Amino acid sequence: MMNRVARIRGTGAYLPEKVLTNQDLEQMVDTSDEWIFTRTGMKERRLAGPDEFTSGMGAKAALAAIEDSGLTVDEIDFILVATLTPDYIFPSTACLIQQLLGAKKAASLDIQAACTGYLYALSLAKSFIESGAYRHILVVAAEKLSSITNYKDRSTCVLFGDGASACVVSSEGEGLAIQSVRLGSDGEQAELLIQPAGGCRLPASAETVAGDQHYIKMAGNEVFKHAVRRMESACKECIDAAQIDELDISWVVPHQANIRIIDAIAKRFKHLSPERVYKTVQKYGNTSASSVGIALHELRKEQSLQEGERILLTAFGAGLTWGAALLQAQR
Ligand code: ACO
């Protein structure tokens, strides 16, 4: 049987223009630039406009990724969209993006794995390609987190931003080979990070709106501890699965939830200088599913990756969910 290799052959990102700074937040809730920066590493984040939605931001990132891949929209076989802020509960945001792109032959599917969604989507794309089922898969991660953020709750509203990322995963062409992916979940901790209302347990009602139950609720401290532990172990499993050594990694691209979480992960990679743990948290905050893809796209644009260089992606989010993926630059 032919040995197919799934590779990322194009990436893209889209960030809305409007910037929300720490100083802006000081006017909205009882917080300070100093608190936000020292506790999270964030200085600013982006906000989508009132007529800008997850589908539209995702489509813009997708078009950039398709152009970067050298393919055309008509060649896309499948669209996988990772988001926790879909335009609607149904139909899927993937179908809306399919329509916006005019990707007529593509099948479309949403994935709900919160901040780990990009890695869950990559894992599915890898399997689809390696099985021979499809040749060109568009992975999109897009979030309008501002639509579910309570701008009266200082413990969450300083953290989140809007944005989108995308990549094209193909069976052919130059790019970043997806060498191994490791994923995990723990539904026991589902309530640590949750949007309580709007589903079938608590359908939208005057009471749920009055009780702010359509907003993100997070037990930040608890989540923090799980995030560090789970991403560390996912990275180790992913490296072991590829039968390589930590020394073989050139870049680590972690989920951009908090600089202190990123620094804790970075400590694990003793041979890597801190600049090799890629960060966008200071300028975009936490964009949930989109965050790893935005960072990977910016890394590819800033650095000319050499043949053979390895990049480790890792993410963590609601569910709880977590994962890691190992990529290698190949011509
Ligand atoms: N400004 C000023 N003070 C604040 C703010 C704020 N914005 N927010 C909280 N505080 C206060 C608290 O009220 C508390 O005060 P108290 O001691 O008087 O009670 C104090 O600061 C400390 O609060 P903690 O919650 O203990 O602060 P911590 O250092 O844990 O930082 C944070 C909070 C940034 C949320 C951190 O816990 C974190 O990053 N958690 C992980 C987030 C994450 O990884 N999420 C996963 C992915 S997101 C997704 O899936 C959608």
Side-chain angles (χ1 to χ4, degrees), residues 215-281:
Y215 292 128
I216 300 171
K217 309 271 183 228
M218 179 167 71
N221 246 314
E222 283 296 299
V223 171
F224 191 106
K225 288 175 213 150
H226 284 284
V228 174
R229 194 160 55 86
R230 296 304 193 176
M231 281 194 279
E232 272 184 4
S233 59
C235 287
K236 182 169 181 343
E237 284 173 27
C238 197
I239 289 168
D240 290 348
Q243 297 181 310
I244 61 158
D245 190 86
E246 265 179 42
L247 294 168
D248 300 321
I249 310 276
S250 302
W251 291 94
V252 176
V253 180
H255 174 45
Q256 307 287 314
N258 186 317
I259 194 71
R260 291 184 292 141
I261 296 175
I262 295 173
D263 287 345
I265 307 287
K267 276 199 193 117
R268 217 202 119 70
F269 295 89
K270 295 192 172 47
H271 68 288
L272 275 186
S273 64
E275 314 77 76
R276 293 239 159 196
V277 178
Y278 200 78
K279 298 168 199 85
T280 61
V281 67

Side-chain angles (χ1 to χ4, degrees), residues 29-32 35-36 39-40 42 84 113-116 143 145 148 153-160 193 216 218-225 227-228 231 255-261 286-289 316-321:
V29 288
D30 179 15
T31 191
S32 65
W35 192 96
I36 301 171
R39 297 290 180 121
T40 72
M42 295 170 192
L84 56 74
C115 302
T116 321
E143 301 284 13
L145 291 175
I148 58 165
D153 173 10
R154 68 176 183 174
S155 71
T156 53
C157 75
V158 301
L159 303 173
F160 300 109
L193 184 45
I216 300 171
M218 179 167 71
N221 246 314
E222 283 296 299
V223 171
F224 191 106
K225 288 175 213 150
V228 174
M231 281 194 279
H255 174 45
Q256 307 287 314
N258 186 317
I259 194 71
R260 291 184 292 141
I261 296 175
N286 179 350
T287 56
S288 188
F316 174 88
L320 301 175
T321 56

Side-chain angles (χ1 to χ4, degrees), residues 48-71:
D51 298 325
E52 211 164 22
F53 308 110
T54 296
S55 58
M57 291 190 284
K60 285 181 179 161
L63 278 176
I66 293 168
E67 191 183 338
D68 188 44
S69 74
L71 295 169

Side-chain angles (χ1 to χ4, degrees), residues 7-11 62-78 105 129 134-139 167-174:
R7 81 268 332 258
I8 295 176
R9 62 182 271 176
T11 56
L63 278 176
I66 293 168
E67 191 183 338
D68 188 44
S69 74
L71 295 169
T72 63
V73 166
D74 299 338
E75 292 174 275
I76 300 299
D77 298 309
F78 211 113
K105 81 166 177 182
I129 298 286
Y134 299 103
R135 286 173 63 204
H136 305 302
I137 298 181
L138 175 65
V139 168
C167 67
V168 177
V169 182
S170 289
S171 55
E172 60 220 57
E174 289 181 6

